[in-house]
Amino acid sequence: MTQPAEHPETGRMEHRLTQVGAALDAFLHREADDPLPRRGVWGPALGGALPPSGLGPDEVMRLLTDLVVPNGGRYCDPGFWGWITVGPTTMPVAAMAAGMVAAPQRYSLTAFNALEETALRWLADLCGLGTRMGGVLCSGGSTANLIALGAARQWALEAVGEDPSRDGLSGRPVAVYASQDVHHTVHRALGVLGLGRRSVVAIPTDGAGRMRSDLLEDALDQGRRTGVLPLAVVACAGSTDTGAVDPLRAVGSLARQAGAWFHVDGAYGLPGILDPRVAPLYDGLDLADSAIVDPHKWLGAPVGIAAAFVRDRDLLARAFMQEPADYLDLGDHDGPVQCSLDTIGVNYADWGVELSAPSRGVAVWALLSEIGREGMRRRIVADNDRARRVADAARRHPRLELMMEPTLSVVCFRYRSGRDPDGVNREIVRRLLRTTPWVASSTVIGGAFVIRPCFVNARTRDEHVDAFMEAVVEIGDVVEAEQA
Ligand SMILES: *Cc1c(COP(=O)(O)O)cnc(C)c1O
């Protein structure tokens, strides 16, 4: 067979990926830099009209490497500790790029389809879920919570003779019990599932940010008296505000007693179980009916990768099936499989809300293959250490105040202000973003505005953390003096 002449649109990858790789390396090694001051350049240059005829590959590459990449976000910077998000490490990026070409869909009997399953098994193992749970990879914690709570809805309503995914809801009142600090994607998932954001019963937390199981018990009693169906109890394994791990054994046991599904949202914090100092906090994880984890948070996978686990994937199929379609022969044919396309492979399409979906397992497999359980454990421990480093510095410094002992790698502290603590700390966070390489977000604890870095960034070193703490005090002193 003679090779056809290469059309530019299908040209060789190596040259182009090398160009992008070089631009990305330059981007990653630049000095701390924000794209906003140059918006007058890239905004108009990139905001034009659809070109009537093509610019050609060289010009597209030039724009991509000279104008787009250098004006990307600060997520990969070593001083980025905002919210719970971060830039990926290199191996999963390379793996993801490979999958985009070699297996753009996760289906059919390919190495990539197999790696979806390997990745799920390895994640379950890494995060202490053992071998009893099956799952599906999906786009993020939002989707993973939706999938897990969709399973909960199916399970709880099947038990009273209903099939909500097939027939819709009967209007039966239901309640979902969760910590007051539960992530709001849980509320949204319940909205999408037709159960309503208001079905969440918020359980207060204790001084360490953990759900109070005594108050959960009261709330479940109250619900029983009013005849509401206890659909699920949601526990945080690493809350977004404070990193708190709810008392899983107590909460899970109460869920069991009430006949409710027990869901553990570990989008951020489930890998925390690798740190032996905090591993005992995860006791009770074995009670979970479902659990989620976001490899795109603490594990450094590219954004767009989460995992939802349940005890029984058949339940997911009942909750999320599309019903058979003529356009999709899922390979339920007779006879042996003779080529990769004879079957869809492991059929993730019926276990969540996505049909077309990229091969994500390859990225998880790559990042875990690269450093193994031990390498990941070291990263998790180093990140937890950094939160304790901030806590120690805040405790020691006369003008700083630790607002809660860190559980995992989130730490909440603030500058002591005699006048307007909330206003001063809000201004500190803003100026950190604008004038330093350090990105720390904020939250509110017991009504107090606090500075809240979350360490999940593999590019961070301890000296960055020390410089950040100095910057907080320096800026705090200036802001406080301005207010006087
Ligand atoms: C981040 C987070 C989510 C949402 O995950 P996305 O990947 O951003 O959609 C859900 N729960 C917890 C605890 C989180 O930290």
Side-chain angles (χ1 to χ4, degrees), residues 226-244:
T226 55
V228 62
L229 181 74
L231 191 121
V233 176
V234 180
C236 305
S239 78
T240 310
D241 285 306
T242 69

Side-chain angles (χ1 to χ4, degrees), residues 83-441:
W83 307 280
I84 310 181
T85 191
V86 72
T89 53
T90 306
M91 269 322 100
V93 172
M96 204 69 194
M100 284 179 193
V101 177
Q105 294 277 6
R106 59 185 162 178
Y107 307 110
S108 79
L109 281 185
T110 68
F112 291 84
N113 187 252
L115 284 180
E116 296 282 296
E117 209 61 2
T118 302
L120 286 161
R121 194 159 43 78
W122 286 9
L123 283 173
D125 181 7
L126 186 80
C127 295
L129 298 174
T131 52
R132 64 191 178 79
M133 287 183 131
V136 60
L137 294 173
C138 57
S139 62
S142 306
T143 325
N145 272 332
L146 176 64
I147 292 170
L149 291 168
R153 183 186 71 163
Q154 192 68 19
W155 175 84
L157 293 178
E158 279 180 359
V160 293
E162 298 175 14
D163 183 342
S165 90
R166 188 189 61 196
D167 303 326
L169 296 170
S170 63
R172 175 190 299 274
V174 303
V176 172
Y177 302 84
S179 148
Q180 65 180 40
D181 289 345
V182 77
H183 201 277
H184 287 194
T185 53
V186 165
H187 300 73
R188 177 173 55 198
L190 295 169
V192 172
L193 290 165
L195 303 170
R197 294 190 297 277
R198 298 284 155 79
S199 63
V200 174
V201 179
I203 310 298
T205 53
D206 64 15
R210 311 173 80 200
M211 189 201 299
R212 282 194 41 193
S213 54
D214 57 326
L215 298 183
L216 171 64
E217 190 167 12
D218 292 349
L220 286 164
D221 281 344
Q222 168 87 19
R224 190 162 24 242
R225 280 195 298 276
T226 55
V228 62
L229 181 74
L231 191 121
V233 176
V234 180
C236 305
S239 78
T240 310
D241 285 306
T242 69
V245 179
D246 288 334
L248 301 179
R249 171 111 8 236
V251 170
S253 305
L254 287 168
R256 280 279 165 84
Q257 279 163 34
W261 180 273
F262 180 39
H263 173 56
V264 176
D265 182 349
Y268 150 57
L270 211 53
I273 198 171
L274 290 169
D275 182 341
R277 295 169 299 182
V278 292
L281 297 177
Y282 294 77
D283 172 58
L285 195 53
D286 56 297
L287 296 175
D289 295 302
S290 58
I292 70 162
V293 62
D294 275 6
H296 70 203
K297 287 181 173 166
W298 219 343
L299 304 187
V303 168
I305 306 183
F309 292 95
V310 294
R311 282 185 189 285
D312 171 14
R313 283 202 289 206
D314 287 346
L315 181 61
L316 284 184
R318 296 202 297 285
F320 293 105
M321 74 167 72
Q322 310 164 71
E323 309 230 334
D326 292 339
Y327 52 76
L328 204 61
D329 175 3
L330 298 183
D332 303 327
H333 52 74
D334 307 321
V337 171
Q338 291 181 26
C339 86
S340 68
L341 292 167
D342 270 348
T343 154
I344 197 164
V346 184
N347 179 17
Y348 300 102
D350 273 345
W351 295 333
V353 292
E354 297 164 302
L355 174 54
S356 286
S359 297
R360 301 178 174 107
V362 66
V364 173
W365 164 83
L367 71 89
L368 290 177
S369 292
E370 182 190 5
I371 62 174
R373 184 197 305 272
E374 184 52 23
M376 193 54 74
R377 191 189 66 76
R378 273 198 227 114
R379 259 169 57 189
I380 301 291
V381 167
D383 284 332
N384 286 344
D385 281 346
R386 288 182 185 119
R388 281 146 189 78
R389 194 177 183 92
V390 168
D392 288 344
R395 241 191 313 260
R396 271 199 316 269
H397 199 285
R399 295 196 295 292
L400 297 178
E401 186 177 5
L402 180 64
M403 301 302 282
M404 192 180 281
E405 287 294 335
T407 305
L408 301 176
S409 67
V410 173
V411 55
C412 298
F413 72 103
R414 67 175 178 173
Y415 184 88
R416 286 182 199 270
S417 164
R419 293 162 219 289
D420 173 17
D422 285 2
V424 165
N425 281 282
R426 186 169 281 118
E427 185 59 22
I428 292 172
V429 169
R430 204 172 287 143
R431 289 194 197 180
L432 281 167
L433 295 180
R434 293 178 184 175
T435 64
T436 78
W438 321 123
V439 179
S441 45

